[in-house]
Amino acid sequence: MIRRFVELFDEREPPHALAAVRILVALVTLFDLAVIALSDLPAWLWAPLAEGGSSPAADAATGPLVYRLIWGLGFGAYGLWAILLLSLLCFGAGFFTRTAGFVFVFTYAATAMVNDPADRGIDRAIRIMVLILSFSAAGKVWSIDAWRKTGSFRGDGAPESAWPRYLVFAQLVLTYAAAGLSKGSPLWLPWGGYVALYVILRDPVYANADYSFLAEPLPFFITQCATAVTHAWEVCAPLLLLAAHYRRTADRPGRLRALFNRVHFREVYVTFGVIFHLSLAFTMRLGIFPFAMLAFYPALFRPDEVTGFVDRVRSFFSKCWARRRLGAA
Amino acid sequence: MRVPSWFSPGLLRALRAGVIALVVLFSVIAAIPTPGNFTHETLKQPTVREQLLLWLRILNVLGSSVTEQELGDGYVAFAQGLQRVRRTLLKPYNGLSRITGTQQGWALFATPDTRPARLVVRARIGKRVRLLYRSGDAEHDYDADFLEYRRVRALYNPSRSGPPATYAGFAERLSERIFDAFPDAREVTVSLEYNRITLPGEAEAGEAEEADKLSFRRKAE
């Protein structure tokens, strides 16, 4: 068993899935940094109280090392923001990817230490994923680093360590499973009436519209069903690991294995996840949370599946463009 | 650099797998939900007490004769014991997770708030007190995009233990922002209005309760 475990983390594959996560995470987080700048928020969030900040923990004398360094060099809140922006741009573009990733994680972590309330769960998730990607070959394809090394942005697609993708996969499973297990309030459970989503959608701070119509019998029943399904979907996340094992060993016997492979469990789970997160994005004010979670999803797929998807999308747009040009001509 | 002869590729692979296994183990332990730093004071919070009474009703229906006091005491003892075990197990992991900001903890809407708080912002402009903003109120949505941005919302949105440590700083910064936008404004008041969400069929909620009021006067120039 230990030998199999060591062999699993010795597997190699092209890093396209990791590169996809790298690019998507960077895009989503860059959007968030843009909102911070356009809203004139860096000082609000990260400066000491005396310099226009809001957090008592933001102290240039006793704060975390990175924070003290940035303040000591006279950069201030906007300097901190600029370091985050620059490191993230480099990380997303795959320019000195590893170094950029580490700089981003440690700087981002410093912002969390000086203003914990403004650092949400999704920010922690982003740091975890970027840290894993910084130890990986995520910058070896679809990147400036690839162009520098091979003359092509696509890189050479040579097999690299697969364990970072497995860790991203495992972290996603852990996040959903822990979220599901945390839901100990009876509102998430049958004896509480499965009213959790109804209560959340009636919260004026999170709901993006007036959902008082949900009190009507049919809409209320739909929210109860959605609550039950959401909770079950989260708690069942570890089955993704089982599904992955069954896919790898599809030639072995077993009714459960056959069932998982026949129903394409992973695809069903991912489809629900996409619908769930997009529903959150349309009904609630959660910022980048739904999109950042979706940005991690490419790690659930093998590199050849990711490149296959990218090729299909590219082919679709090429055909649309060709038809448009023909129409114009 | 010459690698020692005993440092074989096999040993390196095993070491790597061992490190990854440790990371996964610590991550799982850290992610497993616990009640956190739960005390008898926590039990007095309205949302928490509501949950406790709901569990009490369920247990009584199932035939248990446990009282509210016994259930509360038992839960506090369980929560604190679990927290001690968790803290001990995670000691080697805590420092690294803190400096990288990679703590696990995924209580996402774990306890939906049946008494959510709305942010209420008023300004005295001239002789009138004007309601500028109130969460979820389409008729009073001054600067809504800013105030509803997730990181700004986090600066004032209370948890079950009350407003965050950033609430006072946020309120002061907000008052400065409003004084800049409204040259005639003399005073800004920021408060939290607690409403009760009723389920279909339940009696209408009573009056909203306003709390955590902070007022700021324009500084004389």
Side-chain angles (χ1 to χ4, degrees), chain A residues 9-10 32 36 52-54 108-109 117-118 121 123-124 127 171 179 182-183 185-186 188 191 199 203 205-206 285, chain B residues 13 16 51 54-55 58 99-101 103-106 108-110 116-117 148-151 153-154 157 173 197:
Chain A
F9 289 118
D10 201 33
D32 199 50
I36 290 173
S54 59
Y108 204 12
D123 300 295
R124 270 186 281 113
R127 281 193 293 272
Q171 179 61 58
S182 302
K183 290 170 165 68
S185 163
W188 283 103
W191 45 87
V199 169
D203 188 329
V205 169
Y206 288 108
R285 292 189 202 101
Chain B
R13 282 198 293 271
R16 180 178 57 195
Q51 305 285 334
L54 188 54
W55 277 111
I58 292 162
I99 62 168
T100 54
Q103 302 92 330
Q104 303 278 352
W106 309 108
L108 311 172
F109 289 104
E148 289 161 8
Y149 170 56
R150 67 184 189 96
R151 289 185 191 262
R153 180 177 61 206
N157 199 30
R173 296 285 89 78
I197 294 173

Side-chain angles (χ1 to χ4, degrees), chain A residues 247 266-267 300-310 312:
Chain A
R247 269 199 319 278
R266 178 190 60 178
E267 284 74 2
L300 298 175
F301 296 88
R302 288 192 318 272
D304 59 299
E305 292 173 315
V306 170
T307 52
F309 176 79
V310 169
R312 280 196 298 278

Side-chain angles (χ1 to χ4, degrees), chain A residues 282-315:
Chain A
F282 284 120
T283 56
M284 297 174 70
R285 292 189 202 101
L286 295 178
I288 60 168
F289 172 75
F291 303 105
M293 291 303 293
L294 289 174
F296 306 147
Y297 276 31
L300 298 175
F301 296 88
R302 288 192 318 272
D304 59 299
E305 292 173 315
V306 170
T307 52
F309 176 79
V310 169
D311 288 341
R312 280 196 298 278
V313 169
R314 200 181 280 140
S315 164

Side-chain angles (χ1 to χ4, degrees), chain B residues 1 12 14 31 49 80 107 126 147 150 214:
Chain B
M1 185 180 91
L12 189 64
R49 187 149 185 275
Q80 289 182 352
L147 292 170
R150 67 184 189 96
L214 293 172

Side-chain angles (χ1 to χ4, degrees), chain A residues 5-6 9-12 32-33 35-36 39-41 44-46 48-56 105-106 108-113 115-128 131 161 163 167 170-171 174-189 191-192 195-200 202-207 214-216 220 234 284-289, chain B residues 9-10 13-18 20-24 26-34 50-52 54-55 58 93 96-119 133-137 144-158 164-177 193 195 197-201:
Chain A
F5 191 73
V6 172
F9 289 118
D10 201 33
E11 287 178 0
R12 297 174 79 77
D32 199 50
L33 286 179
V35 171
I36 290 173
S39 304
D40 208 13
L41 276 172
W44 271 65
L45 294 175
W46 303 319
L49 286 173
E51 293 178 35
S54 59
S55 172
V105 167
F106 283 103
Y108 204 12
T111 67
M113 284 190 255
N115 194 336
D116 183 58
D119 189 76
R120 314 304 296 162
I122 195 58
D123 300 295
R124 270 186 281 113
I126 288 169
R127 281 193 293 272
I128 290 170
L131 189 62
S161 292
W163 64 262
L167 268 193
Q171 179 61 58
L174 187 61
T175 302
Y176 283 135
L181 292 171
S182 302
K183 290 170 165 68
S185 163
L187 303 185
W188 283 103
L189 301 167
W191 45 87
V195 297
L197 281 183
Y198 173 82
V199 169
I200 292 166
R202 296 303 306 275
D203 188 329
V205 169
Y206 288 108
L214 292 176
E216 298 300 315
F220 181 66
E234 286 180 333
M284 297 174 70
R285 292 189 202 101
L286 295 178
I288 60 168
F289 172 75
Chain B
R13 282 198 293 271
L15 272 174
R16 180 178 57 195
I20 293 170
L22 269 176
V23 167
V24 170
F26 280 125
S27 299
V28 170
I29 295 171
I32 288 174
T34 63
E50 227 172 74
Q51 305 285 334
L52 182 78
L54 188 54
W55 277 111
I58 292 162
Y93 169 83
L96 190 62
S97 67
R98 199 175 57 86
I99 62 168
T100 54
T102 52
Q103 302 92 330
Q104 303 278 352
W106 309 108
L108 311 172
F109 289 104
T111 317
D113 201 345
T114 51
R115 272 188 173 80
R118 293 179 194 248
L119 177 70
Y133 176 85
R134 193 165 161 263
S135 301
D137 184 347
D145 286 342
F146 177 82
L147 292 170
E148 289 161 8
Y149 170 56
R150 67 184 189 96
R151 289 185 191 262
V152 175
R153 180 177 61 206
L155 300 178
Y156 61 79
N157 199 30
T166 49
Y167 179 67
F170 157 79
E172 188 171 357
R173 296 285 89 78
L174 181 61
S175 70
E176 290 163 4
R177 190 177 167 95
E193 183 187 274
N195 308 263
I197 294 173
T198 51
L199 299 177

